[in-house]
Amino acid sequence: MTVDRSDPDAPLIRVGGDFTYTTAAPLRAEVDRLLADAPPALVLDFGDLLFIDSTGLGVIVHAWREGQQGGTALQLRGVPRFLATILDLTGVAGLLARPLGDSLAAHPGPAGPA
């Protein structure tokens, strides 16, 4: 993981190698640090990603959710095909496509049986 803060309006985190349970905590902590400044955007670059597990996917969702609360748009860059497929199959792609301010609370989902 490398962090580029040269653009304060869109800090960039490059994620490479394996993004798993054992490597997710430092990225989540960095996401939280950057979002504390409420930049207009946060960019995650996955151009060098080799593998991601559910914990890594959870960090992406966490970044989106925290960004929504603070007014920061999450942008993914360099998404490899396997990650795009995972994001699509899990519904995370649709979540990330929502406009800023369009949180889950605004869309509670279908009601269960009465």
Side-chain angles (χ1 to χ4, degrees):
M1 170 183 72
T2 61
V3 180
D4 179 353
R5 293 182 180 87
S6 61
D7 181 354
D9 289 337
L12 169 70
I13 302 175
R14 288 183 184 91
V15 182
D18 293 343
F19 187 19
T20 64
Y21 174 77
T22 58
T23 60
L27 178 59
R28 184 178 172 128
E30 190 59 40
V31 163
D32 289 343
R33 268 192 291 281
L34 292 170
L35 289 176
D37 294 332
L42 174 62
V43 181
L44 300 180
D45 185 323
F46 293 105
D48 294 325
L49 186 70
L50 300 175
F51 177 80
I52 189 169
D53 71 3
S54 61
T55 306
L57 192 61
V59 173
I60 295 171
V61 173
H62 168 78
W64 174 82
R65 184 179 53 243
E66 295 300 311
Q68 286 283 313
Q69 292 177 0
T72 299
L74 181 65
Q75 300 172 2
L76 303 187
R77 192 182 295 168
V79 177
R81 175 163 280 178
F82 75 88
L83 178 55
T85 300
I86 291 169
L87 294 173
D88 187 46
L89 289 174
T90 58
V92 174
L95 183 74
L96 298 174
R98 292 181 179 186
L100 190 59
D102 187 15
S103 69
L104 288 174
H107 301 280

